[in-house]
Amino acid sequence: MKYFFWFIAAALVITVLAVLFVPGVDDFVEQTFQRYLGRAAS
């Protein structure tokens, strides 16, 4: 279970760094979150 939380933390850090430094990734991340949040809301 400890590795699961480490994986989540690493994925979050990689996502933040990618959004900050790689152009175009922020749109992809936004679309992905909207897709999952849309499913969760409905």
Side-chain angles (χ1 to χ4, degrees), residues 8 21 37 40:
I8 296 296
F21 295 110
L37 290 177

Side-chain angles (χ1 to χ4, degrees), residues 1-35:
M1 193 68 176
K2 183 172 76 172
Y3 292 112
F4 174 74
F5 289 116
W6 275 111
F7 175 76
I8 296 296
L12 188 61
V13 169
I14 290 170
T15 303
V16 169
L17 290 176
V19 167
L20 290 175
F21 295 110
V22 181
V25 172
D26 52 347
D27 292 332
F28 171 74
V29 171
E30 183 179 353
Q31 288 175 357
T32 304
F33 275 115
Q34 285 180 352
R35 192 176 308 139

